[in-house]
Amino acid sequence: MKTRLALPALLFLLLPSPASWAGTRVDIAADASYPASNDLARATVFAEASGPNPKALARQINGLMAEAGQIAKSHGKVKVQSGNTSTYPNYGRSGKIEAWRMRSELVLESRDMESLSELVGKLQESLGVASIQFMPAPETRKQAEDQAVKAAIAAFQDRAARVGQILGKPYKIEQMSINTSAHYRPPVMYRKAGPMMAEAAAPMPMEAGESQVQVSINGRIELAD
């Protein structure tokens, strides 16, 4: 009695086993970093007050912020935008509202550190400074990222070549995943200085420094059997 194999089954028998399709696979990783100048600064200033009448409180805070906005707009090299605004009640022991507290922020951003420093100094006469953060501008970060990518790829290739050399086998890169991140300086935090605000408008000291743009590569190489 003759046995016939269906065509799909016959083809399966003729194909090599999956284990022979490729050589040994090895997962490897490499990383590199490149410095980027912190040529962009972002300062957050705020007005904050409390009182029994929320409408009067809003007029007071809004007036301070409007005045600050006009001063800020006179510095053409500084970008100005509204930040967070919040109003919340203060409760007494009886559980009733005794007062209201309001806070409103203004965010200032510039690549001209001197102009921003001068402006923040002026605004400190009536506002508090919540934080100042330094970071690379987008184009500065991109340039540093490109350099870090080149260095990381070179490190990945070097590591792949070393693995192949140690095992005595040629290799090819099968897969790569490139990830980037930046380590910025943490924001400098401030508090409203109360009576010290009466001291006039000394420029705010600013030391921008550098950030590190880091690139990490995870990938796989295939070694010939």
Side-chain angles (χ1 to χ4, degrees):
M1 181 178 179
K2 294 183 180 181
T3 302
R4 293 185 178 181
L5 291 173
L7 184 58
L10 181 60
L11 288 175
F12 179 79
L13 292 174
L14 294 175
L15 289 173
S17 64
S20 67
W21 290 356
T24 303
R25 291 182 172 88
V26 179
D27 293 331
I28 60 176
D31 59 70
S33 62
Y34 198 85
S37 297
N38 289 328
D39 53 358
L40 180 66
R42 182 180 296 133
T44 301
V45 296
F46 67 94
E48 188 173 37
S50 59
N53 188 321
K55 290 184 179 180
L57 191 62
R59 283 195 298 270
Q60 177 188 350
I61 294 298
N62 292 341
L64 286 171
M65 297 308 290
E67 182 181 354
Q70 290 300 317
I71 295 172
K73 288 176 182 178
S74 68
H75 288 64
K77 296 180 180 180
V78 179
K79 178 182 176 182
V80 184
Q81 66 182 48
S82 298
N84 296 325
T85 296
S86 59
T87 304
Y88 52 92
N90 290 332
Y91 293 93
R93 292 183 179 180
S94 64
K96 295 182 179 180
I97 297 174
E98 292 187 344
W100 293 84
R101 191 164 191 84
M102 182 175 180
R103 176 186 171 111
S104 187
E105 296 179 342
L106 200 64
V107 180
L108 314 169
E109 190 174 275
S110 181
R111 297 185 64 170
D112 188 326
M113 303 293 174
E114 184 177 350
S115 182
L116 182 62
S117 173
E118 180 184 347
L119 172 59
V120 171
K122 288 181 180 179
L123 294 178
Q124 276 190 288
E125 294 181 5
S126 58
L127 303 181
V129 181
S131 66
I132 298 178
Q133 187 174 11
F134 302 96
M135 66 202 77
E139 58 270 27
T140 304
R141 171 176 170 148
K142 185 180 183 305
Q143 291 172 2
E145 189 175 291
D146 289 344
Q147 295 298 323
V149 167
K150 290 179 183 178
I153 289 175
F156 185 91
Q157 291 175 320
D158 180 67
R159 184 160 296 178
R162 287 177 181 272
V163 171
Q165 183 180 17
I166 291 170
L167 296 177
K169 295 180 179 181
Y171 76 93
K172 67 178 181 178
I173 296 175
E174 185 178 90
Q175 180 265 336
M176 292 173 64
S177 176
I178 300 176
N179 301 291
T180 62
S181 61
H183 299 282
Y184 301 136
R185 284 182 54 188
V188 182
M189 308 303 292
Y190 297 89
R191 286 185 175 182
K192 189 169 183 178
M196 291 180 63
M197 288 296 163
E199 297 180 7
M204 170 69 71
M206 293 188 182
E207 296 293 336
E210 293 181 336
S211 294
Q212 290 292 322
V213 177
Q214 186 158 347
V215 173
S216 59
I217 298 180
N218 294 287
R220 176 174 295 172
I221 62 171
E222 181 183 321
L223 301 169
D225 284 337

